[in-house]
């Protein structure tokens, strides 16, 4: 060590310049399973109708699949490897997946709508089968036998005693084979070959649990997240957001950070950031820079008027999504009408760390390292920010600090691009905690009005729900257009808001039914900390909380058990099987009124809810304990029945369901974005609490229903949807008190319980 | 700026940094480590956790000047070539989703298992209060800690 420079900072620099060891390489990001690529022959262009765009086999027989999707932690990589290995008859250990690098994968939409297996997996299944077909054709020609006389095992093709490995069939070349492509890119991209994939009865790899073998780098601290990307000469950036939403900087006092010698200010209209050589100096500069802001009117109404504001605000758009029979006529002949209103708050992605991105511009090309779920679209946004042609911009996805939709990653990518362009050096930007919570795009707040008409036999003859809220998409679900980034909005680009919400999709067979949504205008139309974008299962928890809570309220009015009452209004056997599976597993006992099982100050109860979405059917039973003295709700146990068609990896699926349920319980019990007249006030984990270990369930008991004959559905989001209603129904069962506003925080539960005590105590 | 020597996972490093700079930035920015992580910067999550003299410590709020004692990150809890039981259990239980949170959980687990080798569910729940896992891997964390303790998960 004696000749090493004293400062580790310098020594690292030297290392960077010398060997480039710390410089990010694609291989490091793709994990240990990245295989060396074919070295010779002409690789066909990266287009969706070329087989080589999706599957490569090298001389050693190592298989690489190229996927335009992301594994945000659920083990999608492994599921895709299983699918490809299965169709190719290759050993699972020899199959690797490269994801989300725009130079190496086509745009399959990124992580979107639980589509990793449903969309990308099915494309890869077809293409892997096609690759196998082509390999067998080559083997048949080599051995001068018919394809039907060949057998394949572990990537070796045999004809009697003669055999040849896939690696030798491919040699140094490529497949150079065309696929049938539907002309779409993104989630709807379909490319397929002529081969017919295997029938499920032939499966040896798909449908069986395979262990995650990619976790070792994470547990020893080697794994490279987007936050760990380092580029030579890189500066650290921090953004500065206005204290009053909508304000723009009118002047900045450069002298206020003159003591931070490397710090520089980047300002363009409302866009304000700082860069510095050291990360700590960038943070200090962002805190110490004196900024004067424009005076703007306080943009937000008092927080406690939020839901009345939503209910009263004029529609921007209203759409009846589902209409059956004659609802008005049925209500007019109802024996009884049940009505209720439910409220769901704004929620934050609140990722484990604020978003980060790195942009490097070099020799007329740019690279962005981003944790976005949509790197192909991020490349478009970065190209626009840099005013460069798209083919000069490469986006490389690296896992971010959590990813549950369009979080703050897209904004970080665009911010980094503007900063890097302004200072002429690579820039890494990461938010601070208050930005991760306060300025990420939000899931929309909403109000749901539900009405049901019962006939004399207590059957539902009409059913009507209006889901009214802020649009789920003030900005798009990707950052391809600068208008949909915070930076673009701060620079005054015209807004391209898209009014959108959604309706319930559960399989109830009511004779008369109307499901509609309406959206209202955003509280602040540009650069708002409350601007909405997709958060895990967009609108799903909002809508299902309302309708599945309401179903229990109607069952109560009808004097019926909630599960039996649901089954009585269903005809679809596939759905009914899931409801029954949950009921059986949890040993559900019919109940026609709240049980209010009390011991000491604790009330225990159980509740049911069901949902359909993202290609899956979920039924869930929550067992809760409510502490009547503190209002704390402990979601003690969940029983989940989950059917998502064909299961690829049962143990991976179970883990994915668990994560959904815990996060959804957190959203239902704790999570609420709050604001005052000027700004978001839930800006850290103290003001935006989430579920912690003391409140974690004792058990999550999962029954998965496998339908190998069906295509696989999604699993990344579906089990999120019914959790809130199951909890609300369980709290009602425990206490006799109906909570119609989420989250069911201790304060709110306590207030509801004391309201109940007041209203039931003798006058 | 002042020179400061810190020992991280067994190796000494001389830093030239402001004494009020939190240790987290020395580890990440000056030493170039991938772990620990920045999560909140205000002692609310655990992403930045390190052991200092064996004690789980939020490096995001620990000024360099206050660091006295050897620092261990999750890269340093195992022996060379042999993972710590909690690392192995994390793999066996496929615990991480994104895994950005794991420094806090694993290092608190290391300290917990040292103090209570066979913890109950309640011991685990209490020991982990204050830590965050946004992906909701709490059930798998519970199983991993029990597995590391040699208890049937
Ligand atoms: S980053 Fe230190 S506790 Fe969150
Ligand atoms: S695994 Fe993602 S935050 Fe814990």
């Amino acid at each position: 060590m004696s000749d090493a420079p004293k400062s580790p900072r310098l020594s690292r620099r030297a290392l960077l310049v010398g060997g480039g060891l710390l410089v990010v390489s694609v291989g490091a990001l793709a994990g240990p399973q990245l295989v060396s690529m074919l070295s010779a022959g002409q690789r066909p262009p990266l287009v969706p109708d070329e087989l080589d765009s999706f599957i490569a086999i090298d001389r050693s027989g190592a298989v690489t699949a190229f996927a335009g999707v992301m594994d945000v932690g659920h083990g999608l990589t492994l599921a895709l490897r299983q699918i490809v290995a299965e169709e190719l008859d290759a050993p699972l250990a020899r199959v690797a997946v490269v994801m989300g690098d725009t130079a190496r994968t086509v745009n399959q939409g990124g992580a979107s709508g639980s589509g990793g297996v449903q969309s990308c997996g099915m494309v890869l299944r077809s293409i892997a089968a096609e690759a196998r077909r082509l390999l067998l054709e080559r083997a048949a020609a080599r051995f001068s036998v018919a394809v039907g006389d060949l057998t394949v095992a572990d990537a070796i093709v045999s004809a009697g005693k003669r055999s040849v490995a896939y690696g030798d069939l491919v040699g140094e070349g490529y497949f150079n084979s065309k696929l049938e492509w539907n002309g779409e890119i993104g989630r709807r991209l379909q490319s397929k070959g002529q081969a017919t994939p295997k029938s499920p009865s032939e499966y040896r790899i798909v449908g069986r649990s395979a262990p995650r073998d990619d976790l070792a780098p994470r547990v020893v601290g080697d794994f490279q997240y987007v936050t760990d990307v380092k580029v030579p000469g890189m500066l650290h950036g921090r953004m500065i957001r206005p204290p009053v939403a909508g304000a723009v900087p009118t002047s900045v006092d450069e002298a206020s950070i003159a003591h931070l010698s490397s710090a520089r200010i980047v300002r363009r209209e409302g866009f304000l950031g700082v860069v510095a050589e050291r990360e700590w100096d960038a943070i200090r500069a962002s805190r110490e820079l004196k900024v004067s802001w424009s005076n703007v009117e306080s943009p937000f109404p008092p927080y406690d008027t939020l839901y009345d504001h939503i209910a009263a605000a004029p529609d921007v758009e209203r759409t009846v999504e589902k209409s059956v029979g004659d609802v008005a006529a049925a209500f007019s002949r109802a024996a009884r009408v049940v009505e209720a209103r439910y409220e769901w708050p704004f929620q934050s992605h609140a990722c484990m760390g604020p978003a980060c991105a790195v942009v490097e511009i070099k020799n007329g090309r740019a690279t962005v390292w981003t944790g976005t779920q949509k790197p192909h679209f991020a490349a478009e946004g970065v190209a626009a920010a840099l005013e460069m042609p798209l083919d000069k911009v490469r986006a490389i996805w690296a896992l971010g600090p959590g990813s549950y939709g369009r979080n703050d990653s897209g904004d970080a990518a665009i911010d980094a691009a503007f900063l890097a362009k302004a200072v002429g050096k690579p820039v890494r930007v990461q938010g601070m905690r208050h930005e991760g919570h306060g300025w990420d795009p939000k899931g929309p707040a909403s109000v749901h009005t539900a009405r049901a008409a019962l006939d004399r036999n207590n059957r539902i003859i009409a059913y009507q729900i209006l889901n009214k809220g802020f649009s789920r998409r003030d900005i798009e679900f990707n950052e391809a257009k600068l208008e949909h980034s915070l930076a673009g909005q701060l620079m005054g680009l015209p807004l391209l808001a898209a009014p959108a919400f959604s309706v319930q999709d559960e399989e109830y067979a009511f004779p008369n039914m109307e499901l509609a949504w309406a959206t209202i205008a955003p509280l602040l139309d540009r650069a708002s900390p409350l601007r909405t974008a997709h958060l895990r299962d967009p609108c799903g928890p909002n809508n299902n909380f309302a309708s599945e809570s309401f179903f229990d309220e109607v069952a109560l009015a009808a004097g019926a058990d909630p599960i039996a009452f649901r089954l009585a209004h269903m005809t679809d056997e596939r759905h009914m099987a899931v409801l029954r599976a949950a009921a059986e597993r949890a040993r559900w006992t019919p109940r026609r009124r709240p049980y209010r099982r009390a011991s000491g100050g604790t009330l225990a109860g159980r509740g049911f809810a069901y949902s359909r979405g993202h290609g899956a059917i979920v039924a869930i039973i929550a067992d809760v304990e409510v502490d009547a003295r503190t209002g704390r709700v402990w979601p003690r146990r969940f029983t989940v029945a989950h059917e998502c068609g064909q299961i690829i990896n049962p143990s991976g699926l179970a883990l994915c369901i668990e994560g959904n349920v815990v996060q959804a319980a957190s959203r239902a019990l704790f999570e609420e974005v709050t604001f005052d007249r000027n700004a978001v006030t839930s800006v850290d984990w103290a003001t935006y609490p989430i579920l912690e270990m003391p409140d974690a369930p004792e058990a999550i008991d999962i029954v998965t229903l496998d339908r190998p004959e069906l295509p696989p559905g999604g699993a990344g989001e579906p089990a999120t949807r019914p959790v809130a209603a199951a909890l609300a129904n369980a709290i009602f069962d425990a206490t006799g008190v109906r909570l119609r506003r989420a989250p069911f925080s201790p304060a709110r539960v306590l207030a509801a319980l004391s309201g109940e005590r007041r209203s039931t105590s003798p006058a | 700026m002042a020179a400061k020597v810190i020992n991280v996972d067994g190796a000494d490093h001389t830093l030239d940094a402001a004494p009020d700079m939190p240790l987290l930035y020395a580890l990440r920015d000056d030493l170039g480590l991938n772990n620990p992580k920045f999560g909140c910067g205000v002692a609310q999550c655990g992403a930045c956790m390190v052991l200092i003299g064996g004690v789980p410590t939020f490096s995001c709020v620990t000024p360099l000047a206050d660091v006295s004692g050897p620092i261990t990150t999750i890269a340093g809890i195992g022996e060379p070539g042999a993972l710590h039981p909690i690392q192995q259990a994390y793999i066996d239980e496929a615990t991480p989703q994104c895994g950005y949170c794991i420094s806090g959980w694993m290092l608190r687990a290391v300290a917990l298992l040292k103090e209570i080798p066979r913890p109950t569910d309640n011991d685990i729940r209490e020991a982990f209060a204050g830590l965050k896992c946004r992906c909701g891997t709490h059930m798998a964390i519970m199983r991993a800690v029990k597995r590391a303790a040699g208890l049937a998960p």
Side-chain angles (χ1 to χ4, degrees), chain A residues 8 225 228 278 671 692 696, chain B residues 14 30 37 98 125 130 134:
Chain A
Y225 292 80
D228 306 318
R278 300 179 80 115
E671 296 184 29
E692 293 186 20
Chain B
T14 305
D30 294 66
K37 304 286 188 210
C98 78
R125 286 172 184 277
R134 184 51 167 154

Side-chain angles (χ1 to χ4, degrees), chain A residues 352 402 404, chain B residues 95-101 105 132-137:
Chain A
M352 193 65 202
Y404 320 103
Chain B
T95 298
Q97 264 190 37
C98 78
Y100 196 83
C101 63
W105 298 92
K132 305 295 183 294
C133 173
R134 184 51 167 154
C135 296
T137 67

